[in-house]
Amino acid sequence: MIDQRLLPAEYKLVDFHDYLQVTQAIQQMVVRGAPAIGASGAFGLALAAQTSRAVDKNALLQELRAAAEVIKSARPTAVNLTWGLKRVMEVAEQERGDLESLRTAVLAEAQRIADEDVEINQRMARYGAALISDGDTIIHHCNTGSLAAVDWGTALGVIRMAHKLGKRVHVLVDETRPRLQGARLTAWELEQYQIPYEIITDNAAGYFLRSGGVQKVFFGGDRMAANGDVANKIGTYMLALAANDNQIPAYCVVPTSTIDLSLPHGDLIPIEERDPDEVLGLQFAGYPVAPENAKARNPAFDVTPHRLISGIVTENGVVEPPYESNLRAAVEMSSKK
Ligand code: MRU
């Protein structure tokens, strides 16, 4: 994996040898972004299968079930993690061969998830790029590029595709407090794609949306409920509200693996609350920003109600309201493939 905590200062590849290390990497955000942690979790199970000393298939299956529970606990909001683990476990439970075939089947399914992710992202990018006009200025939140997926990306993948197709785009990159995925990671990716951008503080988004100089807002999602409410990086809700108030379309780009039809609405999505030190650790002029004993709250995600979303870009096309029925149809299209 690329250690995303170090970018853009350092590009460092790190290796993992067992599923506990992978769990820790997901928890500590060495790897982050919903599709990326989905594939990472799947490969975590592949490592669990490779490193296991189980002597028969049933014993290995038991170990895999236990490992899946541990990996799942790393981060609760992005449903892709549970989804990837579930996919691998379904293949494992159905494997009829011997111990070695089980190991091979688990690794093969993890690899399939990774390969499909790239293809799905590129399909979403083509659908989404049609929503972008030549000359658009776009506000983008968090990092949803190739770093957040296996490759290519979701919302940033759409912007990248529009640029590749020759449309002139300018990106206003929300810095995305507290972990600065926008300023650190999205800006780093945009440099490589040679897409013009400027970083803005998260609290400047409303100013720019009111200025008349922004045509669209794009963001990704970590878990979308059946009605289209979506949990995404903290700050997305305020961004979507301000876009809506200024009649600027706000699009959410999610693969169908991010859609959780078991949850009727977004208030049921578990929201991860991370260490307050992520908020308090910031320095200003070389000193900590907050008083020594300050406390902080650090929800990592918020829920944007579906009424604020102008369209949902999936690998099966752009889903429009009414979301309830149309999202279900988009998800079913993937499960039939
Ligand atoms: O906490 P992170 O950095 O894993 O959060 C990531 C996001 O919120 C992204 O917007 C989301 O995963 C969709 S991107 C592919």
Side-chain angles (χ1 to χ4, degrees):
M1 292 176 189
I2 299 168
D3 189 339
Q4 299 193 32
R5 298 168 304 177
L6 307 180
L7 286 171
E10 192 183 344
Y11 179 92
K12 186 176 172 197
L13 296 177
V14 280
D15 294 332
F16 300 105
H17 303 280
D18 64 46
Y19 78 89
L20 291 173
Q21 291 174 344
V22 173
T23 307
Q24 202 179 39
I26 296 171
Q27 211 288 321
Q28 295 178 352
M29 295 174 70
V30 172
V31 63
R32 45 144 300 281
I37 64 174
S40 302
F43 277 110
L45 278 182
L47 276 177
Q50 302 298 318
T51 55
S52 164
R53 297 211 179 115
V55 288
D56 64 56
K57 219 177 93 184
N58 272 342
L60 179 53
L61 263 180
Q62 291 283 24
E63 284 184 24
L64 288 176
R65 288 183 198 122
E69 287 306 309
V70 173
I71 300 170
K72 193 161 80 178
S73 69
R75 295 196 76 189
T77 301
V79 74
N80 303 62
L81 181 57
T82 322
W83 170 89
L85 294 166
K86 193 164 158 250
R87 247 184 80 163
V88 174
M89 284 313 295
E90 272 166 15
V91 166
E93 303 279 359
Q94 279 159 24
E95 175 57 38
R96 292 287 157 257
D98 62 5
L99 183 67
E100 270 323 298
S101 336
L102 178 54
R103 285 201 168 97
T104 311
V106 166
L107 177 58
E109 186 61 10
Q111 189 61 53
R112 233 184 328 268
I113 288 174
D115 294 343
E116 281 175 16
D117 186 64
V118 183
E119 193 250 328
I120 284 170
N121 279 299
Q122 290 183 344
R123 264 169 45 207
M124 288 194 298
R126 280 187 207 97
Y127 285 122
L131 300 168
I132 293 176
S133 306
D134 186 34
D136 273 355
T137 292
I138 298 166
I139 296 188
H140 174 275
H141 196 64
C142 196
N143 171 264
T144 66
S146 57
L147 288 167
V150 177
D151 201 357
W152 200 268
T154 60
L156 198 62
V158 165
I159 294 169
R160 183 177 169 188
M161 184 62 82
H163 170 77
K164 193 174 167 219
L165 294 173
K167 295 181 186 182
R168 283 163 301 168
V169 285
H170 186 84
V171 187
L172 293 178
V173 176
D174 271 355
E175 64 175 353
T176 318
R177 280 283 285 144
R179 292 189 64 105
L180 304 169
Q181 288 94 328
R184 294 189 304 109
L185 308 175
T186 297
W188 182 77
E189 286 198 42
L190 289 170
E191 296 262 329
Q192 292 172 58
Y193 314 144
Q194 298 185 329
I195 299 175
Y197 73 92
E198 289 160 303
I199 295 170
I200 60 171
T201 58
D202 301 338
N203 47 7
Y207 166 84
F208 285 107
L209 286 162
R210 254 177 75 78
S211 73
V214 174
Q215 283 72 44
K216 265 138 219 161
V217 167
F218 273 89
F219 49 82
D222 287 80
R223 189 185 300 226
M224 180 171 278
N227 68 348
D229 296 349
V230 68
N232 190 51
K233 180 51 53 197
I234 193 78
T236 305
Y237 174 43
M238 291 204 314
L239 176 62
L241 271 175
N244 201 257
D245 194 45
N246 290 283
Q247 291 86 47
I248 293 171
Y251 295 105
C252 181
V253 185
V254 285
T256 53
S257 55
T258 301
I259 303 169
D260 184 351
L261 293 179
S262 76
L263 301 182
H265 57 79
D267 293 343
L268 300 170
I269 300 174
I271 299 295
E272 176 183 12
E273 184 141 358
R274 293 185 63 87
D275 193 332
D277 282 351
E278 291 184 347
V279 175
L280 298 171
L282 191 77
Q283 298 208 335
F284 187 80
Y287 297 98
V289 283
E292 200 182 344
N293 297 320
K295 292 188 171 52
R297 295 290 303 273
N298 187 18
F301 302 94
D302 56 25
V303 173
T304 299
H306 62 273
R307 66 183 163 80
L308 301 177
I309 303 173
S310 315
I312 299 165
V313 183
T314 74
E315 72 272 28
N316 296 325
V318 181
V319 178
E320 287 173 357
Y323 289 131
E324 194 117 12
S325 50
N326 292 347
L327 272 179
R328 189 167 291 274
V331 173
E332 280 166 6
M333 231 186 270
S334 287
S335 52
K336 281 191 195 116
K337 278 176 193 147

